[in-house]
Amino acid sequence: MTLAQTPTDVGTDETAPKALTDGSHLVVDALKLNDVHTIYGLVGIPITDLARLAQASGLRYIGFRHESDAVHAAAAAGFLTRKPGVCLTVSGPGFLNGLVALANATTNCFPVVQISGSSERHIVDLKRGDYEELDQMTAAERFAKAAYRVDRAEDIGRGIARAIRTAVSGRPGGVYLDIPAAVLGEIIDADKGAASLWRVIDPAPRQLPAPEAAVRAVRLLADAQRPLVVLGKGAAYAQADKQIRQFIETTKLPFLPMSMAKGLIPDDHPQSVAAARSLALREADVVMLVGARLNWLLGHGHAPQWNPDAKFIQVDIEAAEFDSNQPIAAPLAGDVGSVMQALIEHNHGDIMAPAPWRAALAARSDQNGAKMAQRLAADPHPMQFYGALRAIRDVLSAHPKTYVVNEGANTLDFARNVIDMHLPRHRLDSGTWGIMGIGMGYAIAAAVETGGPVVAIEGDSAFGFSGMELETICRYHLPIVVVVFNNGGVYKGDDINTVSTDPSPTALTVGARHDKLIEAFGGTGYRATTPGELTAALHEALASGSPALIDCVIDPTAGTESGHLTNLNPKGIGHA
Ligand code: ADP
Ligand code: TPW
């Protein structure tokens, strides 16, 4: 760094030069003081030296090829660790590139802090035209849980404490922290700087539910004929695995995991009703949502998908979530761990899921399980989604600790059902927005935060959004295997353009060799055209612990447009 004087320069007599520090040093010191170990980012003016300094100070810096991927990675780190992930971006466009991921993190309730350098305030504010000029804080305000700006080096400690506290307390979300270049370069007295930093105590305090709220919920569940528990990614995030499992197992309540809650209780648990989902939703008379919103992913709780007379219990840290879609008969405001503990304590053997209901669900699960087994056993050529997923499922059952990242349309919908999860917080996917582009960022964070291994199951279109991060994966030698479901199209690959000589809107290059992409950066590429080849490639790639990509050739006619969401496409003239 450029500072000539460091705290070690302190002299003993009064004429000795005073030790100095600057904004960049204070940012690094404040992050370290708050147990941040890794920064995800992409450098340039004015944060390059800040990243260097972070590395020199023992922080890990993971450098990306696009800010969106870097912020997605930090957000995934937040989900996996229950501590805010931290990401560093440059002014203007770099900040904006990251903002999509900050908004996505906020939508998913993942804690993350995007710290961005910004241009000269006195030029930006009068719109005089600066390098990468943008009023970033105002732009971020709309898309983040909160946005703050630090205008003096002496406020850096306060700004970082405030960002961490806001990101992780209550309903977690994305926080934007703006630090102008001038503040990063501002030089202040080192002692004064050190004294201005603080460590956030108990960043996400427990929030206990009122006892009467717990009693109300227990009574409802005790009286239910057809109770159901829906576990969402808020429950996975809460790291209350023990309490959740204890409550579910002692009450024999059937449970349904949302996609990122898969593995919180293993998917092969006898009380899982994932294979009887439609019946469970349609018939349940009392439904307890645990860290899951009644949003589009759950059909907003509407009939006929749901029993119109169902009563809802909802466990959520954000009380304003209650009644957002359906009346909540028993709201339980608090963190999942504290609420489940309260329910355990207030349930004196009152709750026991009735046997006929459990038997009905089990019978339907068996029926649907048999149908699924048949679909998975079919072995058409060219390979289809189920054949490929059967191969991946079988390999992963021998590697149950593998983290799974999943995006695409058909690739997402089919993989969610076929790939069983055995451990909590091991599945990361497109989440609440159904966003494409999380793939490589989430995979990198999973590998960096946990040591891996990671398998990313990607539609070919989905993969394209973050594909350049293959270089990042190779540069850091991360144990990530990317499986690209190559069917040559957004959704399907068989759309012929009959109105012009251009490719159709959903077309991608036929016969593309994604395996060659990773070879450019020193990783291993495989191509699989049969489940057998896919099995062999995935086994080998996982055993190597090194970056690999398997181009998995899928029948271009397989799947459906928009996957399971075909009905969300507007039906105008000519599209009925
Ligand atoms: P899914 O998509 O899996 O159904 P959602 O993202 O819709 O899950 O819901 C997650 C919910 O969990 C959010 O409403 C959020 O407020 C809540 N939540 C997040 N963390 C906690 C926590 N520690 N305790 C309780 N609720 C939480
Ligand atoms: C940021 C719209 C939803 S799914 C998808 C797109 C472009 C890709 C589907 O094709 P893919 O999958 O990945 O090849 P598959 O299995 O059906 O073959 N931009 C963003 N987010 C979304 N959701 C879209 C566009 C979309």
Side-chain angles (χ1 to χ4, degrees), residues 474-523:
C474 292
R475 185 164 19 103
Y476 289 91
H477 309 293
L478 297 172
I480 296 172
V481 185
V482 182
V483 183
V484 177
F485 276 36
N486 181 1
N487 62 356
V490 177
Y491 315 126
K492 300 168 68 176
D494 60 348
D495 196 4
I496 309 281
N497 187 352
T498 53
V499 292
S500 82
T501 53
D502 279 335
S504 85
T506 59
L508 297 173
T509 302
V510 173
R513 295 294 301 262
H514 300 91
D515 48 323
K516 301 277 181 204
L517 288 173
I518 199 162
E519 288 172 3
F521 309 115

Side-chain angles (χ1 to χ4, degrees), residues 264-341:
L264 184 43
I265 300 175
D267 276 335
D268 57 4
H269 192 282
Q271 287 168 248
S272 168
V273 293
R277 187 177 196 270
S278 307
L279 177 71
L281 301 195
R282 203 170 53 241
E283 299 283 323
D285 62 350
V286 174
V287 180
M288 180 161 87
L289 302 156
V290 184
R293 286 169 284 189
L294 216 40
N295 57 17
W296 70 279
L297 286 159
L298 284 171
H300 304 283
H302 286 313
Q305 191 180 355
W306 291 83
N307 174 357
D309 301 320
K311 289 194 166 59
F312 289 96
I313 301 167
Q314 188 162 25
V315 180
D316 208 292
I317 202 146
E318 174 68 57
E321 184 59 38
F322 305 139
D323 301 287
S324 55
N325 279 285
Q326 297 293 336
I328 300 300
L332 283 159
D335 70 274
V336 168
S338 300
V339 172
M340 296 316 285
Q341 190 58 41

Side-chain angles (χ1 to χ4, degrees), residues 110-132:
F110 297 166
V112 62
V113 177
Q114 181 182 352
I115 300 177
S116 191
S118 57
S119 305
E120 296 296 335
R121 292 239 48 78
H122 60 279
I123 299 181
V124 173
D125 287 351
L126 277 171
K127 302 188 173 65
R128 293 168 57 199
D130 204 357
Y131 169 69
E132 297 188 338

Side-chain angles (χ1 to χ4, degrees), residues 88-104:
L88 200 53
T89 56
V90 302
S91 329
F95 150 78
L96 266 184
N97 279 344
L99 193 55
V100 171
L102 193 70
N104 184 59

Side-chain angles (χ1 to χ4, degrees), residues 177-408:
L177 186 64
D178 192 290
I179 313 187
V183 177
L184 291 172
E186 186 185 337
I187 294 171
I188 66 170
D189 176 83
D191 290 338
K192 188 177 162 196
S196 73
L197 309 182
W198 73 81
R199 186 181 163 84
V200 178
I201 306 298
D202 194 8
R206 290 198 302 144
Q207 291 182 220
L208 278 65
E212 64 273 19
V215 169
R216 190 188 291 128
V218 167
R219 205 170 295 141
L220 262 178
L221 281 170
D223 291 343
Q225 294 308 301
R226 295 178 305 281
L228 174 70
V229 176
V230 177
L231 301 173
K233 58 180 167 311
Y237 170 79
Q239 297 190 16
D241 313 344
K242 262 202 200 140
Q243 293 98 319
I244 292 172
R245 191 160 180 164
Q246 185 185 337
F247 182 72
I248 298 269
E249 288 188 337
T250 53
T251 57
K252 297 259 187 297
L253 289 168
F255 73 91
L256 185 69
M258 299 300 285
S259 64
M260 282 182 61
K262 277 164 71 76
L264 184 43
I265 300 175
D267 276 335
D268 57 4
H269 192 282
Q271 287 168 248
S272 168
V273 293
R277 187 177 196 270
S278 307
L279 177 71
L281 301 195
R282 203 170 53 241
E283 299 283 323
D285 62 350
V286 174
V287 180
M288 180 161 87
L289 302 156
V290 184
R293 286 169 284 189
L294 216 40
N295 57 17
W296 70 279
L297 286 159
L298 284 171
H300 304 283
H302 286 313
Q305 191 180 355
W306 291 83
N307 174 357
D309 301 320
K311 289 194 166 59
F312 289 96
I313 301 167
Q314 188 162 25
V315 180
D316 208 292
I317 202 146
E318 174 68 57
E321 184 59 38
F322 305 139
D323 301 287
S324 55
N325 279 285
Q326 297 293 336
I328 300 300
L332 283 159
D335 70 274
V336 168
S338 300
V339 172
M340 296 316 285
Q341 190 58 41
L343 292 177
I344 290 168
E345 283 161 17
H346 284 90
N347 174 32
H348 307 292
D350 312 287
I351 308 171
M352 182 52 62
W357 172 233
R358 284 189 277 138
L361 290 167
R364 182 60 61 88
S365 291
D366 288 348
Q367 231 175 41
N368 291 345
K371 275 190 221 152
M372 175 64 94
Q374 243 175 17
R375 275 184 227 125
L376 288 169
D379 215 351
H381 197 79
M383 182 160 49
Q384 301 213 349
F385 288 96
Y386 280 125
L389 287 167
R390 181 190 72 228
I392 297 175
R393 181 198 63 178
D394 291 348
V395 175
L396 291 187
S397 68
H399 297 269
K401 291 187 180 156
T402 307
Y403 286 80
V404 173
V405 173
N406 190 197
E407 61 177 336

Side-chain angles (χ1 to χ4, degrees), residues 6-212:
T6 69
T8 53
D9 294 322
V10 177
T12 43
D13 70 78
E14 299 209 336
T15 56
K18 279 199 124 195
L20 300 174
T21 188
D22 67 9
S24 293
H25 280 81
L26 289 170
V27 170
V28 171
D29 292 346
L31 292 175
K32 285 181 73 173
L33 190 60
N34 282 285
D35 296 330
V36 173
H37 304 296
T38 305
I39 300 178
Y40 300 87
L42 202 166
V43 296
I45 297 170
I47 53 147
T48 313
D49 271 347
L50 171 50
R52 285 201 187 101
L53 178 67
Q55 268 190 338
S57 311
L59 283 170
R60 188 143 198 230
Y61 174 80
I62 306 290
F64 281 74
R65 303 301 296 265
H66 193 283
E67 291 85 354
S68 197
D69 305 324
V71 180
H72 281 315
F79 170 73
L80 291 169
T81 64
R82 215 170 44 152
K83 285 173 20 183
V86 173
C87 186
L88 200 53
T89 56
V90 302
S91 329
F95 150 78
L96 266 184
N97 279 344
L99 193 55
V100 171
L102 193 70
N104 184 59
T106 306
T107 303
N108 280 321
C109 314
F110 297 166
V112 62
V113 177
Q114 181 182 352
I115 300 177
S116 191
S118 57
S119 305
E120 296 296 335
R121 292 239 48 78
H122 60 279
I123 299 181
V124 173
D125 287 351
L126 277 171
K127 302 188 173 65
R128 293 168 57 199
D130 204 357
Y131 169 69
E132 297 188 338
E133 175 181 292
L134 184 71
D135 179 0
Q136 297 170 194
M137 187 170 79
T138 306
E141 202 98 53
R142 176 71 185 77
F143 299 101
K145 182 175 176 186
Y148 305 114
R149 181 162 53 227
V150 176
D151 289 318
R152 308 178 300 177
E154 68 188 73
D155 287 329
I156 284 173
R158 178 174 286 108
I160 286 183
R162 193 141 169 62
I164 289 173
R165 170 72 73 190
T166 304
V168 82
S169 61
R171 171 182 273 176
V175 173
Y176 175 62
L177 186 64
D178 192 290
I179 313 187
V183 177
L184 291 172
E186 186 185 337
I187 294 171
I188 66 170
D189 176 83
D191 290 338
K192 188 177 162 196
S196 73
L197 309 182
W198 73 81
R199 186 181 163 84
V200 178
I201 306 298
D202 194 8
R206 290 198 302 144
Q207 291 182 220
L208 278 65
E212 64 273 19

